[in-house]
Amino acid sequence: MMQVTRSLFLSLGFAGALLLGGPAFSQAGAEARVLKLNHTDTPSGARHQAAELFAKRVEELTRGKYRVLVFHSGQLGNDPQSIKAVAEGRLDFTASATGSFASLVPELNLTALPYLVDSYEQGWRLYDSSPWLHKQFGKMAAKGVRHVATWEAGFRSFTTRSPMTRPADAAGKKMRVFPNDMIKWIMESIGYEPVVIPVTEVYAAIQQGQVEGQENPIDTIRALRFHEVAPHIVLTQHVYSPLPFVASEALWTKLSAAERDQFSIAAREAATLSRRLVKEADERNLEAMGRAGAKVIRPDLAAFRKVMSGVYARAEKVYGADVQAILKDARSDSVAAGR
């Protein structure tokens, strides 16, 4: 049976109100309002550690006025379901890949353009300071979702059932993707047939041979144990894929200015933790998966960059000037860093 988080154990008395979807209050003094945070990582992943820190800091900063229950492994729904629930005010918080929010703001598909950034530091600066990106995040509020901070997941790479060292190895095979135009187009540019499957169902889909494999950041690959069923880890690092942490706008508008500051501080502290954990753990995670029998493949990226470059022209036909706008922010950031 899946372990329930520490926060949930501490709040079993609130189960009735939780299941009804409404706020619950502490039995001691009706002071603590209980909020819900759902994500699809497992307890061993960096996303869950960030979520637990966020919950801890919210309780501390608000002096117990708010308590956050953390649900891992998609206990309250997969990523699209969680985003929909946040938008509708049925869930208070979630964190998911930026491209997942394209269901609310289609332009956010562009954050999954291949090789948009080349390092964690460049990616952090882009997400922290890009005028174009902050404009897109700002649009989400009208859809019921408030961007609060950006947590980390890392660069996406493949895990496959059979070795892949060049794009030609993908021909005629099916690859799991999440619902995102850029990711689908990237798979097609390599030669895969993209198949949309919720992340909580991917392990079984690979195990049963429905797809050749999947692509995700290294931390997610290990946390969800995809290397057990697709043992070839192919380090293409084709998309930088951090995690916008969002709140329900229905909740956010009811908070005082001081409370919004407190929640924002907690979310940013969690972001700092997740960035450090993910960056520092990449090689350790690869080594651990290698010891468990996975084979790490470091292909020549030139061939992958070449076939994926066509995705940019395809994107411009749909998104027009927004492609150059995000490129400008990514490149100006890179130049400012002396790269």
Side-chain angles (χ1 to χ4, degrees), residues 124-202:
W124 297 341
R125 289 189 295 272
L126 175 66
Y127 272 75
D128 290 345
S129 61
S130 164
W132 181 89
L133 194 50
H134 288 186
K135 178 181 178 181
Q136 310 316 313
F137 284 147
K139 294 177 182 177
M140 296 198 300
K143 305 295 180 68
V145 175
R146 170 71 58 161
H147 175 250
V148 185
T150 302
W151 295 2
E152 189 57 88
F155 288 84
R156 304 180 79 88
S157 288
F158 292 93
T159 52
T160 55
R161 288 160 57 94
S162 55
M164 180 174 68
T165 59
R166 54 182 185 157
D169 295 331
K173 297 174 182 176
K174 295 181 178 180
M175 176 59 57
R176 178 268 169 178
V177 298
F178 71 96
N180 177 271
D181 284 350
M182 295 305 114
I183 298 295
K184 292 178 184 177
W185 296 349
I186 288 171
M187 297 307 107
E188 290 169 351
S189 73
I190 298 173
Y192 281 120
E193 176 187 343
V195 179
V196 176
I197 301 174
V199 72
T200 49
E201 302 172 18
V202 172

Side-chain angles (χ1 to χ4, degrees), residues 7 11 27 34 44 75 89 95 101 103 105 166 191 205 210 212 217 223 232 239 258 261-263 265 294-295 325 337:
S7 300
S11 305
Q27 296 176 356
V34 176
S44 64
Q75 290 172 314
F101 294 92
S103 60
V105 179
R166 54 182 185 157
Q210 296 175 25
E212 165 68 9
H232 301 279
V239 169
D261 286 343
Q262 291 162 346
F263 278 77
I265 289 169
K295 306 295 183 184

Side-chain angles (χ1 to χ4, degrees), residues 302-323:
F304 287 93
R305 286 178 178 270
K306 182 177 180 180
V307 297
M308 292 182 194
S309 63
V311 171
Y312 281 80
R314 190 170 179 179
E316 285 186 324
K317 291 180 180 179
V318 177
Y319 297 99
D322 281 310
V323 175

Side-chain angles (χ1 to χ4, degrees), residues 38-40 47 78-80 82-83 94-101 150-151 153 156 178 241-246:
N38 185 62
H39 66 82
T40 54
R47 190 180 331 187
N78 59 38
D79 288 309
S82 294
I83 292 170
T94 195
S96 184
T98 316
S100 297
F101 294 92
T150 302
W151 295 2
R156 304 180 79 88
F178 71 96
S241 188
L243 307 166
F245 175 75
V246 299

Side-chain angles (χ1 to χ4, degrees), residues 179-293:
N180 177 271
D181 284 350
M182 295 305 114
I183 298 295
K184 292 178 184 177
W185 296 349
I186 288 171
M187 297 307 107
E188 290 169 351
S189 73
I190 298 173
Y192 281 120
E193 176 187 343
V195 179
V196 176
I197 301 174
V199 72
T200 49
E201 302 172 18
V202 172
Y203 188 102
I206 298 173
Q207 190 174 44
Q208 295 164 11
Q210 296 175 25
V211 290
E212 165 68 9
Q214 62 83 51
E215 50 85 55
N216 255 303
I218 294 168
D219 181 78
T220 304
I221 290 169
R222 186 184 180 194
L224 298 181
R225 309 192 331 271
F226 292 141
H227 60 286
E228 295 178 355
V229 288
H232 301 279
I233 303 171
V234 188
L235 296 179
T236 49
Q237 298 183 304
H238 48 278
V239 169
Y240 177 58
S241 188
L243 307 166
F245 175 75
V246 299
S248 169
E249 188 70 7
L251 166 68
W252 201 256
T253 55
K254 293 176 182 177
L255 298 176
S256 68
E259 289 168 343
R260 292 177 188 175
D261 286 343
Q262 291 162 346
F263 278 77
S264 296
I265 289 169
R268 289 195 298 269
E269 289 181 5
T272 298
L273 173 67
S274 69
R275 285 177 172 181
R276 177 176 62 80
L277 289 175
V278 170
K279 182 184 177 185
E280 292 179 354
D282 274 353
E283 288 302 323
R284 290 201 305 272
N285 282 331
L286 289 172
E287 291 171 3
M289 289 187 286
R291 291 193 297 270

